[in-house]
Amino acid sequence: MSLLDALLRQGALRPVDHALAQSLRRLGREDGDADDRVLVAAALASSAIAQGHAGLDLSRPHLVCDANVEWPYAGQWRDALRSSRWVATPSREEASRQAPLVLEDDLVYLRRYREYERRLAQHLRRIAAASPPMGDVSAVVPLFKALFPDAEESDRQARAAALALLRSLLLVTGGPGTGKTTTIARVLLLLIAQAALAGRPVPRIALAAPTGRAAERMAESLRAAIARMRGIEGAEESWCDALPSSASTLHRLLGTIPDSPRFRHDADHPLPFDAIVVDEASMVDLPLMCKLVEAVPDGARLVLLGDRDQLPSVEAGDVLAAITDAAGEGDALPADLARALAPLLGPFPHADDAGALAGHRVQLRRGYRQAQSLDLAPLADALRVGDADRAVTLLREGLAGVHFHEDAVDPLAGASRETLLSPWRALMALHDPAEALRQAQTLRLLTALREGAQGAAALNQRIEDALAGVQRDPYFHGRLLLVTENSYRHGLFNGDIGVVQHDAAGVPVAWFVGSDGVRGFHPASLPAHGGAFAMTVHKAQGSEFDTVWLLLPRQDARTLSRELLYTGVTRARRELHVCAGEAVLRAALARHAARVSGLARRLRG
């Protein structure tokens, strides 16, 4: 039995992956180019994309497929691929443009995804190499000192702001509540002040995020930061007024074209902005990030904000992690950059041999978001690095605001049932949509699974049965809704949360937050949606809630990882409940959500 047939028999391949291999097999029989190792590589390269990888690593095929088979030796596998007409290599790619696969080192790509990686690296290097048009910082030193009074005392927010004045590409990374958005608000004010003092036009600034909810949260944070800056000495009202107060999704920023994977803005039709700031960059997949950076015009700034320790994008790629790995995080900067920063930060260590992306990333460390009642940082740090012993000890010994329900597998039973249901019952008593939407952010049940008894679908059904009865109206008053697809016609996006309320005539209306307040829709007109009392951790990414209940499955599952746990617990602002057994916790923390990618290597090279 061939390896391809063995994988199919074990259910290790999707029909579409097997169909690709079979197509190559049929075509290859005509000229003898039907090596089983090539067919398996093609099937696994296709499967890899569905699992979030950019391609297949020949030395680690188990990352894509954990079937019980004997894999080919990587060197022999590589030789077989090199001799196939279905596989292009960088040295002869021009002569093999119709080849569906590309081999680089030990990575096998579907051609399109190799091109996404190559183009993304090319344009990131283009942006990083450019010098911003307003490189002189001397005019804004007084305002900078007012915004960052501790600038010369290792203030990382100040360092991020200073680098943003001198770099066209900047990554600002850090955990929840480390002040990423506050820092960027100050950066944008400095850019506006710099232009005004030099007699230049106000820079055109775009704010964007992967989802509608993340974009709205970004805008909310920016508006709050702008309000705080208005009282700072030297921050003129006109400069504050020029700051952007709204954000869009990346799809809307780039301009979708109906029934097309292309956008209106691309390399030939760049975005009309001088600075583009993207929040929640860890959620941006490889194709979308490639299309974004291609659309960044020459001379414009690109600022990426995110937490590299969160779950990577649902689709292919772990772009933020790859870029941050390539950029590193050393304190030493290129000598010319260290000298340019001296007026703002004082003397700074420098290294003449710093890497190509050195000075393009700042990691913020101090957490600000959680309330004083929640001491989340020690647990989050243990989860982030996969320290299972410390995580279990912290959960058992207790932290302020953190509650461990060890071995609890059903929070909707027993004493915790009414604790969960009572805030949602209160939601059903409200008749003001704006207030109901605010209250909707106070509590969420998060799960690692979509399906099964502990999956989001089943949990939502049980919660809705408990709140409104088994024979309930599908759109009962107080039901929470989660949009699961983008609809530009409605202005609703994947991840948006709404609440149903009945009007005076008893007609249900689904209310969502919009840029100008709340907006109502008839439920029948909504894009694809479901319940939102319980959500997967993936869907909750980019959101935050006062109280979070995190439910892990009874048994270990492949979807569990330290990144999933870290992302789940850091959604909480005031209180966290963890329902899990020790064995499942340890298994999850031993699993790193690694993605196969060559992007970091390309950027370093």
Side-chain angles (χ1 to χ4, degrees):
M1 181 187 302
S2 71
L3 178 56
L4 181 66
D5 292 336
L7 293 174
L8 181 64
R9 179 167 293 185
Q10 291 189 32
L13 296 176
R14 300 176 302 162
V16 67
D17 307 325
H18 187 255
L20 171 62
Q22 287 294 80
S23 296
L24 297 182
R25 172 181 279 171
R26 286 192 299 271
L27 294 169
R29 281 174 180 159
E30 300 173 5
D31 56 7
D33 192 0
D35 190 311
D36 190 55
R37 292 167 294 185
V38 176
L39 304 180
V40 169
L44 294 184
S46 172
S47 178
I49 300 302
Q51 298 177 46
H53 303 287
L56 165 69
D57 187 341
L58 296 178
S59 63
R60 299 182 296 167
H62 61 275
L63 292 179
V64 173
C65 178
D66 57 3
N68 184 24
V69 296
E70 184 175 344
W71 297 107
Y73 173 63
Q76 296 174 344
W77 205 351
R78 187 168 54 245
D79 291 341
L81 288 161
R82 282 176 175 160
S83 63
S84 172
R85 69 185 177 103
W86 305 126
V87 183
T89 62
S91 61
R92 59 184 176 93
E93 184 178 2
E94 205 58 38
S96 309
R97 279 202 169 275
Q98 301 307 311
L101 304 177
V102 177
L103 173 66
E104 284 190 279
D105 298 322
D106 275 351
L107 297 187
V108 182
Y109 298 88
L110 295 184
R111 170 177 284 279
R112 183 194 310 173
Y113 284 85
R114 188 263 182 177
E115 283 302 294
Y116 284 140
E117 260 197 14
R118 184 188 64 80
R119 285 158 40 197
L120 174 56
Q122 172 189 336
H123 284 278
L124 282 172
R125 288 195 298 266
R126 168 182 65 85
I127 298 167
S131 297
M134 297 178 284
D136 181 15
V137 300
S138 58
V140 296
V141 168
L143 178 58
F144 188 95
K145 299 293 187 184
L147 291 169
F148 300 99
D150 300 322
E152 297 186 15
E153 298 178 12
S154 301
D155 184 339
R156 287 180 172 268
Q157 291 191 2
R159 180 181 176 184
L163 287 172
L165 295 175
L166 296 167
R167 289 301 208 197
S168 290
L169 173 67
L170 180 66
L171 287 78
V172 181
T173 56
T178 49
K180 295 187 291 293
T181 310
T182 299
T183 302
I184 291 307
R186 296 176 181 180
V187 166
L188 298 180
L189 180 65
L190 287 166
L191 291 179
I192 291 170
Q194 197 174 37
L197 293 172
R200 300 186 181 96
V202 172
R204 299 163 298 172
I205 300 168
L207 308 177
T211 67
R213 179 57 192 152
E216 181 58 29
R217 272 193 52 221
M218 182 188 194
E220 291 171 358
S221 298
L222 259 295
R223 288 192 289 267
I226 292 169
R228 291 192 297 270
M229 289 191 300
R230 289 186 184 276
I232 292 177
E233 182 179 354
E236 295 189 10
E237 282 292 313
S238 61
W239 300 345
C240 293
D241 291 339
L243 286 163
S245 58
S246 62
S248 71
T249 64
L250 286 170
H251 287 82
R252 173 169 283 183
L253 175 72
L254 292 170
T256 55
I257 300 174
D259 303 317
S260 171
R262 298 177 61 85
F263 291 102
R264 290 186 174 87
H265 293 288
D266 55 20
D268 296 325
H269 306 88
L271 291 161
F273 296 104
D274 303 302
I276 300 156
V277 182
V278 179
D279 199 9
E280 297 290 353
S282 64
M283 299 171 65
V284 185
D285 59 50
L286 174 60
L288 184 56
M289 187 67 84
C290 174
K291 293 170 184 178
L292 169 67
V293 299
E294 284 184 323
V296 174
D298 290 336
R301 287 177 168 86
L302 175 63
V303 181
L304 302 177
L305 313 178
D307 184 353
R308 66 147 298 154
D309 297 307
Q310 284 190 29
L311 282 167
S313 63
V314 176
E315 305 299 332
D318 191 358
V319 177
L320 182 67
I323 301 173
T324 54
D325 287 347
E329 198 210 332
D331 279 337
L333 300 175
D336 58 340
L337 182 60
R339 286 192 295 271
L341 291 176
L344 301 174
L345 301 176
F348 210 88
H350 65 82
D352 292 326
D353 59 347
L357 288 186
H360 291 273
R361 177 197 175 197
V362 176
Q363 172 79 12
L364 303 183
R365 301 192 184 282
R366 183 182 169 192
Y368 295 90
R369 188 177 76 191
Q370 284 75 35
Q372 290 184 352
S373 59
L374 179 59
D375 183 17
L376 192 58
L379 177 62
D381 286 341
L383 298 177
R384 180 176 57 81
V385 299
D387 188 341
D389 290 339
R390 178 159 173 75
V392 171
T393 299
L394 288 170
L395 285 168
R396 285 177 174 162
E397 292 182 351
L399 295 165
V402 178
H403 309 276
F404 186 32
H405 306 270
E406 189 165 3
D407 296 323
V409 295
D410 187 2
L412 293 173
S416 60
R417 175 182 172 86
E418 201 54 36
T419 302
L420 273 167
L421 294 178
S422 58
W424 292 325
R425 294 192 201 280
L427 191 66
M428 299 173 69
L430 298 176
H431 294 276
D432 178 354
E435 177 60 24
L437 286 166
R438 282 191 292 271
Q439 290 298 317
Q441 300 303 310
T442 61
L443 171 67
R444 198 67 84 243
L445 173 58
L446 302 184
T447 176
L449 307 175
R450 284 182 295 179
E451 306 299 334
Q454 293 175 298
L459 292 169
N460 269 310
Q461 182 172 336
R462 290 179 60 199
I463 293 167
E464 292 176 5
D465 287 349
L467 294 175
V470 177
Q471 303 298 323
R472 64 186 178 276
D473 177 347
Y475 296 99
F476 61 87
H477 188 94
R479 185 189 180 198
L480 293 182
L481 301 178
L482 174 70
V483 175
T484 56
E485 71 176 13
N486 293 332
S487 173
Y488 291 90
R489 179 168 64 89
H490 294 84
L492 295 174
F493 303 95
N494 188 358
D496 284 359
I497 293 174
V499 63
V500 175
Q501 292 197 335
H502 290 190
D503 63 15
V507 176
V509 179
W511 295 92
F512 292 83
V513 173
S515 56
D516 299 321
V518 296
R519 299 176 300 143
F521 301 87
H522 191 283
S525 73
L526 293 174
H529 59 279
F533 296 101
M535 299 168 61
T536 63
V537 175
H538 271 100
K539 285 293 186 185
Q541 202 167 351
S543 297
E544 56 184 34
F545 311 98
D546 289 345
T547 300
V548 166
W549 283 70
L550 176 61
L551 173 64
L552 299 190
R554 293 180 176 86
Q555 297 178 327
D556 185 28
R558 191 174 180 180
T559 55
L560 292 178
S561 65
R562 67 182 65 168
E563 288 82 6
L564 183 138
L565 298 186
Y566 173 83
T567 303
V569 303
T570 54
R571 300 308 92 204
R573 284 185 296 216
R574 300 183 181 278
E575 190 174 12
L576 171 69
H577 295 258
V578 178
C579 302
E582 179 182 355
V584 171
L585 265 174
R586 289 185 176 276
L589 290 172
R591 186 178 293 113
H592 178 46
R595 294 282 179 87
V596 174
S597 167
L599 180 58
R601 173 181 54 79
R602 292 180 200 281
L603 289 170
R604 292 191 190 102

